[in-house]
Amino acid sequence: MGSSEQRGGRRVFTWDEVQRHCGRTDRWLVIRRKVYDISEFSKRHPGGARLIGHYAGQDATDPFTAFHVDKTLVNKYLNSLLIGELAPDQPSSESWKNVQVIEDFRDLRAAVEKTDLLQPNKLFFAGHLAHILLLELAAWLSLWYFGASLFPFLISLVLLSTVQAQGGWLQHDFGHLSVFSKSKWNHLVHKFIIGHLKGAPASWWNHLHFQHHAKPNCFRKDPDINMHPMFFVLGKKLSVEVGKQKMKYMPYQYQHKYFFLIGPPALLPLYFQWYIFYFAVSRMQWMDLAWMVSFYIRISLTYIPLLGVRGFLTMFFLVRFVESNWFVWVTQMNHIPMAIDHDQKEEWLTMQLHATCNVHQSFFNDWFTGHLNFQIEHHLFPTMPRHNYHKVAPLVRSLCAKHGLDYQSKTLFTAFADIVHSLKESGELWLDAYLHK
């Protein structure tokens, strides 16, 4: 059957035609064999035009299912975008994808939905919020009761750094709509935690983070690897590509060493700390900006009377320094050592397994990483409450074993070390290509 023909009063398309609509202003995608024109809607998409645009010309069934909690609400938007369906002789996804992998993962997803694995334990999240608030109270009490001498200052520094890191993991839960059944309540609490407790805009996190989940480790689609190639060369293929093009913004053969200077210590205090204000103002996110300002007013009024302005600023940036190290090592250990490449348009399961790895479960690892040691399960089921990752992990392992997909799980120390090893390897690959290819 030819493309754009009528079938039962509805237009039908071939994959060749769908795949031609993948530009900036002309975008189609497929969800459950139905073809949608998102060219105009992408500008109004709550997750941003870039996020939905990353699947232009592709089958978006699995990411659509993974990201959206209220399918009934979302389907109302979809109905107005529907322009037809795939022709009967066309496969349900692109011809190069493994149909059995797709079907088996969807069977797993359906099985998960029939259980309580997507249901949150609200006491779990209330407990995490309570422990964050108690740590912040303890930080203030240590200075108020013992004074601003070195030892109570350091105690308060450690406690406040822990508050910021753990607050980061908790806002991540609400940002992924993992706590409440209604999206609006997740969004409201998300704004409170990331804005009032951490001083960052929720819109900025949404803009970046969901792109990362949609296309992890895909160059020009995952903003988490935007440091390639300006500061680092990442991944075996991309490093060689940059070397062949004779590009050299940094001495990449030493990147595993200067990573310790411009990576973990610098990301939050020297970049994010300032960029978040630019983001909120330039995009006119005034509500997010108000939440952010409330954080800075609160923390200033709380600690300037105890430390003075100079002592407060010293404390604040030291907290950001510690938090930055904590954040970067934890978030990059699951991705930097994995495959990094241009978008290979793989099956949802395959793409996530190629781009993510786990760290072994323990009480400390779960707490220290905000359960992001279960990065594979989190990426496959981004709205799943984190306290259920360990329950679904055996099912994911079994599915990966069936299809020969490498399910990697490491010790925490090995995961940290692998960041450095992978940077060293990609730097060497770049140098060889730069000099000899």
Side-chain angles (χ1 to χ4, degrees):
M1 183 177 289
S3 65
S4 299
E5 292 185 11
Q6 297 287 330
R7 180 175 179 261
R10 180 174 291 175
R11 295 173 68 192
V12 295
F13 305 95
T14 64
W15 270 110
D16 286 341
E17 184 165 5
V18 172
Q19 289 162 2
R20 287 197 293 269
H21 296 269
C22 60
R24 288 181 176 271
T25 59
D26 180 23
R27 293 172 169 178
W28 293 5
L29 54 72
V30 174
I31 299 174
R32 301 189 188 97
R33 296 190 60 84
K34 293 182 179 180
V35 181
Y36 299 91
D37 184 346
I38 60 166
S39 303
E40 292 299 321
F41 173 75
S42 62
K43 302 172 187 176
R44 309 189 307 274
H45 182 241
R50 289 185 182 181
L51 171 60
I52 195 170
H54 292 337
Y55 276 91
Q58 301 179 41
D59 176 35
T61 302
D62 290 318
F64 172 81
T65 303
F67 290 135
H68 297 101
V69 174
D70 190 344
K71 304 291 192 301
T72 302
L73 174 64
V74 177
N75 283 329
K76 292 180 180 179
Y77 289 95
L78 282 180
N79 291 336
S80 64
L81 308 176
L82 180 65
I83 59 172
E85 60 188 32
L86 293 173
D89 62 343
Q90 296 294 296
S92 296
S93 57
E94 297 89 332
S95 60
W96 59 82
K97 290 183 177 178
N98 187 320
V99 175
Q100 197 59 53
V101 168
I102 294 173
E103 291 180 353
D104 285 353
F105 176 74
R106 290 178 185 173
D107 287 344
L108 173 59
R109 172 81 195 193
V112 165
E113 290 178 350
K114 292 178 181 178
T115 69
D116 62 352
L117 291 178
L118 294 176
Q119 301 305 312
N121 179 347
K122 293 184 176 60
L123 288 177
F124 173 89
F125 294 105
H128 269 272
L129 177 58
H131 108 282
I132 289 169
L133 297 177
L134 287 173
L135 287 173
E136 181 148 355
L137 176 61
W140 178 81
L141 284 173
S142 68
L143 292 172
W144 176 79
Y145 186 79
F146 295 105
S149 58
L150 180 60
F151 185 71
F153 181 90
L154 292 176
I155 293 296
S156 184
L157 170 63
V158 171
L159 292 173
L160 284 176
S161 300
T162 303
V163 165
Q164 288 301 301
Q166 291 296 322
W169 308 146
L170 188 59
Q171 67 82 22
H172 179 265
D173 297 314
F174 288 93
H176 272 292
L177 314 180
S178 298
V179 183
F180 296 109
S181 58
K182 294 293 184 181
S183 297
K184 65 178 182 180
W185 291 110
N186 285 296
H187 290 314
L188 178 60
V189 181
H190 183 221
K191 288 178 181 294
F192 168 76
I193 295 175
I194 194 173
H196 185 68
L197 297 187
K198 288 187 59 61
S203 55
W204 162 76
W205 184 89
N206 291 334
H207 171 72
L208 296 177
H209 194 67
F210 288 118
Q211 290 186 71
H212 161 70
H213 270 270
K215 291 289 184 179
N217 282 10
C218 293
F219 182 48
R220 300 196 185 282
K221 292 191 174 184
D222 179 358
D224 282 12
I225 59 171
N226 279 351
M227 61 276 205
H228 171 93
M230 184 59 68
F231 298 106
F232 303 95
V233 285
L234 302 174
K236 296 177 182 179
K237 292 182 180 179
L238 294 182
S239 299
V240 172
E241 181 181 283
V242 171
K244 287 181 177 179
Q245 294 171 355
K246 309 304 177 185
M247 295 171 61
K248 183 182 180 182
Y249 297 108
M250 297 285 283
Y252 303 122
Q253 67 271 33
Y254 303 115
Q255 65 181 6
H256 59 293
K257 297 180 179 179
Y258 65 71
F259 171 76
F260 289 91
L261 297 176
I262 69 171
L267 183 65
L268 267 64
L270 298 185
Y271 178 58
F272 279 177
Q273 180 60 46
W274 315 108
Y275 178 74
I276 54 177
F277 282 96
Y278 168 78
F279 182 95
V281 172
S282 64
R283 295 177 180 251
M284 295 185 287
Q285 298 291 332
W286 307 124
M287 184 59 69
D288 280 351
L289 186 62
W291 279 112
M292 294 167 62
V293 170
S294 75
F295 163 79
Y296 288 98
I297 292 174
R298 175 180 63 84
I299 200 168
S300 297
L301 293 177
T302 301
Y303 288 99
I304 288 178
L306 299 175
L307 296 170
V309 174
R310 182 179 297 179
F312 164 71
L313 291 176
T314 300
M315 170 74 82
F316 179 81
F317 283 103
L318 283 175
V319 167
R320 285 292 189 241
F321 171 80
V322 175
E323 179 196 2
S324 186
N325 279 274
W326 192 331
F327 171 80
V328 172
W329 284 105
V330 168
T331 58
Q332 298 310 304
M333 69 182 182
N334 305 107
H335 297 297
I336 292 297
M338 305 303 290
I340 300 175
D341 201 350
H342 298 280
D343 184 8
Q344 299 300 301
K345 302 176 183 178
E346 298 171 308
E347 309 88 11
W348 180 254
L349 176 68
T350 304
M351 176 181 67
Q352 302 296 354
L353 265 293
H354 284 168
T356 59
C357 65
N358 280 5
V359 167
H360 300 334
Q361 183 185 22
S362 71
F363 177 81
F364 175 79
N365 287 351
D366 291 353
W367 175 83
F368 185 75
T369 68
H371 289 82
L372 293 181
N373 49 326
F374 287 97
Q375 191 73 210
I376 293 172
E377 289 70 26
H378 172 56
H379 267 253
L380 291 175
F381 306 99
T383 63
M384 180 179 287
R386 58 162 134 154
H387 52 73
N388 286 334
Y389 293 157
H390 74 282
K391 298 178 182 178
V392 78
L395 302 177
V396 175
R397 279 182 180 271
S398 178
L399 182 58
C400 292
K402 176 180 178 180
H403 292 285
L405 293 170
D406 188 15
Y407 182 106
Q408 293 189 33
S409 186
K410 315 169 181 179
T411 67
L412 185 64
F413 177 79
T414 299
F416 288 164
D418 281 351
I419 298 176
V420 181
H421 295 156
S422 64
L423 289 173
K424 186 175 188 295
E425 181 183 23
S426 57
E428 291 170 348
L429 289 170
W430 166 83
L431 184 62
D432 179 66
Y434 184 81
L435 296 176
H436 305 299
K437 298 182 181 179

